């Protein structure tokens, strides 16, 4: 199983989804985030375009450019595969489950967790990072892109939490945060 997971990571590293930072779309809400892992130098610049409004807002596209180890780059590729075209609330849930996986110290979701199978189904290729969670320094690599995504959700006001609190920075099309 570990070899299969290593192959999934390697495949995403060699054939990344969403790589190549797109220009901002002036007709849509978009967020831009640059994240650096200071411990290893991995970095990513991510642009997220959103469509829709309020609770129906979706992640229309995720593009990125960056450099770093196979874990950070593959994790970003998997992120793109999982969140593109999804409602923001669903994206936030996937991100939360991925962070939960990173807290399992290489053990995966507990078998006595009734929702473990659902979580594994939700994460798809992201389950390949289960072994990564044994190594705290590598967890930061795996979470780099997820931090960029979270930053774009927060800085644009597109997060479900912001929507619930009535915070709406999204009313101006073409708003992009640096």
């Amino acid at each position: 199983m570990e070899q299969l997971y290593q192959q999934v990571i390697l495949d995403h590293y060699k054939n990344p989804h969403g790589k190549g930072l797109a220009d901002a779309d002036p007709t849509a809400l978009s967020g831009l985030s640059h994240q650096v892992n200071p411990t290893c130098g991995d970095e990513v610049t991510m642009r997220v375009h959103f469509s829709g409004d309020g609770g129906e807002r979706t992640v229309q596209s995720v593009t990125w450019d960056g450099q770093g180890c196979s874990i950070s780059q593959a994790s970003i590729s998997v992120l793109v595969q999982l969140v593109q075209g999804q409602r923001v609330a669903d994206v936030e849930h996937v991100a939360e489950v991925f962070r939960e996986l990173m807290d399992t110290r290489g053990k995966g979701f507990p078998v006595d967790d009734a929702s473990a199978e659902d979580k594994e189904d939700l994460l798809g290729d992201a389950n390949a990072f289960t072994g990564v969670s044994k190594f705290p320094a590598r967890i930061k690599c795996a979470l780099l892109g997820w931090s960029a995504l979270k930053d774009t959700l927060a800085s644009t006001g597109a997060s479900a939490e912001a929507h619930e609190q009535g915070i709406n920075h999204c009313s101006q099309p073409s708003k992009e945060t640096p």
Side-chain angles (χ1 to χ4, degrees):
M1 185 61 100
E2 194 166 310
Q3 285 183 338
L4 173 65
Y5 282 170
Q6 289 173 350
Q7 188 61 46
V8 169
I9 291 171
L10 193 57
D11 286 347
H12 275 279
Y13 176 67
K14 289 181 176 178
N15 305 298
H17 295 263
K19 189 156 187 178
L21 194 62
D23 292 333
D25 179 352
T27 64
L29 176 70
S30 64
L32 183 70
S33 178
H34 181 76
Q35 300 289 316
V36 176
N37 182 347
T39 59
C40 65
D42 291 357
E43 63 181 280
V44 63
T45 302
M46 179 180 288
R47 177 168 285 126
V48 180
H49 287 113
F50 301 95
S51 61
D53 288 319
E56 296 304 314
R57 187 171 305 279
T58 62
V59 172
Q60 182 179 356
S61 67
V62 179
T63 59
W64 60 279
D65 201 4
Q67 60 184 11
C69 67
S70 59
I71 293 170
S72 70
Q73 305 298 285
S75 180
I76 297 165
S77 174
V78 169
L79 174 156
V80 171
Q81 192 177 44
L82 288 173
V83 307
Q84 205 158 256
Q86 300 296 316
R87 291 179 333 124
V88 167
D90 296 334
V91 166
E92 290 177 314
H93 178 65
V94 170
E96 181 182 310
V97 173
F98 186 72
R99 289 180 188 279
E100 186 180 336
L101 178 66
M102 290 296 100
D103 287 339
T104 64
R105 300 181 187 262
K107 297 176 183 166
F109 298 111
V111 291
D112 62 344
D113 180 350
S115 63
E117 191 173 318
D118 291 339
K119 291 175 182 175
E120 290 172 359
D121 289 346
L122 179 68
L123 291 180
D125 283 354
N127 287 298
F129 296 90
T130 300
V132 170
S133 68
K134 289 186 229 175
F135 309 100
R138 307 307 280 177
I139 292 171
K140 291 181 180 180
C141 298
L143 290 174
L144 184 67
W146 297 88
S147 295
L149 177 65
K150 185 176 182 179
D151 185 42
T152 63
L153 292 171
S155 65
T156 59
S159 71
E161 181 179 324
H163 175 70
E164 287 173 8
Q165 293 176 357
I167 301 169
N168 187 3
H169 303 290
C170 307
S171 59
Q172 298 295 321
S174 75
K175 177 182 182 203
E176 182 169 270
T177 57

